[in-house]
Amino acid sequence: MPSPAVAAAPAQDDARLHERRLIERARAGDRDAVAELYDAHQPVALGIARRLCRPSDVDDVVSEAFTKVLDQLARGAGPRVSFRAYLITAVRSSAADVGRGQSRLLPTDTVEDLQSDEPGAPDDQPASGLRTDSEMLAQALSSLPARWQLALWWTTVEGRPLAEVGDELGLNANAVAALSFRARQGLRDAYLALHVARSADADCDALRDDFPAFARDRLDPALTATIGAHLLDCEACREVIAELRSLLAVGASG
């Protein structure tokens, strides 16, 4: 009897083939295919939008994101194998547009409104999304070596001078600067790694630990070539890389 992981692989292949066909049909103007893609990917889009913008803007952001991707399809561009990756990028772009628009417009009736210390209404901030991002960042930070955590905390959070941190760690200022740089790079990779799902395919899983560095163009040439060759034949891993790069595109990990 095949293991659950082996049994799941054909199902995943069938699902990817079905989505590719849906995309082709949607590109040709098939409304049923568009509706099926919408139903399949709307929950993901809503989840991301809730993390990025106010609850009152979520539906508009998701609608705008779908419109962008479907417009690309109508022009013969856009996704061919991964609707989700394009949609994630479009959601983040739409949320950023909304945020920029709101930063330019601050409706208020009186000057006193600007001085109010009252906390915002529940509709003002995507609190659950902020908690999720904070929890993921905390998890990424806790995965780093203790020395890196200290360097990040003292230099970035507390803003201590390099020389002072060096006294604590037994290093000179230049060494502290180098340590802090490596720690920031490590934190970015660790944060991205939390978005990389494990694969039932052993060949894929063996490479996925290096996907964060690959997405940030920080991998050595030999491994870069190995992953690049793998991506040519692996749609599932291409989707993972596309999602990581969508995070990078909006500055999620610098």
Side-chain angles (χ1 to χ4, degrees), residues 169-182:
L169 298 175
L171 301 170
N172 61 40
N174 287 338
V176 172
L179 177 66
S180 298
F181 176 79
R182 290 197 302 274

Side-chain angles (χ1 to χ4, degrees), residues 221-237:
L223 277 173
T224 297
T226 298
I227 292 177
H230 175 77
L231 294 177
L232 291 176
D233 299 317
C234 183
E235 181 183 330
C237 286

